[in-house]
Amino acid sequence: MKPRFIVLEGLEGAGKTSVIQVIESFLKERDLLVINTREPGGTPMSEAIRGCVKQNWDEHVTQETELLLMYAARSQLVNNVIKPALQTNRWVIGDRHNWSSIAYQGGGREIDLQSLEQLKQLTLGNFEPDFTIYLDVTPEIGLARARGRGELDRIEQAGMDFFVRARKMFHSLVEQSSKACLIDANQDMNQVHHDVLEQLSNWFATIQVGE
Ligand code: TMP
């Protein structure tokens, strides 16, 4: 079976980490080889960029700098890790990908979507996930969970309006896509895992038929 790129998206505190384990088990039970990636991050250089975007600086970080760093990290990851993995029969589970830039920098920071699309074309061309699972959590619940894990990083400190706009953008991305599903991640985590497995199984059945 041809390996696929599955992506998890969602606001902070949506529960991506535990859902990734559920997806990994699902694929491994079917004897598929799997690697995990995260964005920004996943290569030595991209991990350094991750530290850079998350930390607080004694200078203003412009939204353009933040945006370019996200795409720089993504370009390294896609070319050095994700594409080689897919070419060598390994499935990839991505903790965030391009939709995070559209939601956070496009929705949250209100950078125009045309500029984002140009950057996407420049760095990734037509490369896209095969399936995206969006974990939908309200900013109130998500940020409370994130706060429970410790101090909020630079992006997490952006304020409620930022996250409301980011969530709205995620909703519109899911609505416009035929390769994505929305899971209510405000529910208890057992129910979230159950719903994810249901959606994943349905999608998996459709690609098996197409092979
Ligand atoms: P997280 O993956 O641990 O949630 O941390 C990544 C942070 O970076 C999170 O606040 C979302 C943010 N982010 C963007 O703003 N744009 C992006 O394109 C990506 C991948 C992440």
Side-chain angles (χ1 to χ4, degrees):
M1 188 174 207
K2 193 179 105 195
R4 305 299 208 282
F5 178 32
I6 302 172
V7 170
L8 261 291
E9 293 279 10
L11 297 183
E12 355 287 297
K16 286 184 285 108
T17 310
S18 70
V19 166
I20 285 167
Q21 285 167 5
V22 169
I23 299 173
E24 190 175 344
S25 302
F26 176 94
L27 296 175
K28 285 186 171 165
E29 279 160 19
R30 284 153 185 82
D31 291 328
L32 300 167
L33 301 173
V34 184
I35 68 154
N36 295 307
T37 61
R38 68 172 180 179
E39 294 193 30
T43 82
M45 190 172 176
S46 304
E47 285 294 321
I49 295 173
R50 180 183 178 87
C52 217
V53 293
K54 280 187 161 250
Q55 82 179 66
N56 282 304
W57 292 88
D58 284 337
E59 63 179 316
H60 173 62
V61 177
T62 71
Q63 54 191 34
E64 289 77 17
T65 298
E66 183 179 275
L67 173 69
L68 291 168
L69 287 172
M70 296 299 176
Y71 277 96
R74 183 165 302 129
S75 176
Q76 290 301 111
L77 180 70
V78 168
N79 288 296
N80 294 345
V81 177
I82 299 180
K83 283 185 177 174
L86 295 171
Q87 280 156 8
T88 50
N89 205 30
R90 283 166 298 158
W91 288 59
V92 180
I93 307 173
D95 181 344
R96 301 192 181 280
H97 188 61
N98 195 51
W99 278 14
S100 280
S101 294
I102 303 174
Y104 283 78
Q105 280 67 51
R109 303 276 189 232
E110 300 184 294
I111 298 178
D112 76 280
L113 297 183
Q114 239 183 324
S115 300
L116 263 81
E117 180 54 26
Q118 282 172 349
L119 266 180
K120 194 257 171 192
Q121 282 303 325
L122 176 73
T123 51
L124 310 178
N126 293 328
F127 180 78
E128 282 191 355
D130 295 292
F131 190 48
T132 300
I133 298 174
Y134 164 61
L135 300 181
D136 185 47
V137 71
T138 65
E140 288 83 0
I141 292 179
L143 287 172
R145 287 180 188 158
R147 229 174 264 118
R149 291 196 299 247
E151 289 284 301
L152 299 184
D153 65 34
R154 191 183 60 81
I155 295 175
E156 288 165 350
Q157 291 161 8
M160 201 50 87
D161 289 355
F162 171 92
F163 289 103
V164 168
R165 288 195 297 274
R167 183 181 184 212
K168 202 166 155 207
M169 189 62 83
F170 273 131
H171 282 175
S172 106
L173 287 165
V174 179
E175 273 160 27
Q176 289 166 42
S177 174
S178 58
K179 295 194 288 185
C181 67
L182 180 150
I183 305 286
D184 180 359
N186 298 306
Q187 310 175 91
D188 122 328
M189 270 305 143
N190 287 333
Q191 187 60 43
V192 172
H193 293 175
H194 170 271
D195 292 358
V196 166
L197 277 175
E198 192 172 76
Q199 293 285 345
L200 188 63
S201 308
N202 289 345
W203 170 74
F204 200 79
T206 63
I207 61 169
Q208 270 180 319
V209 170
E211 287 282 311

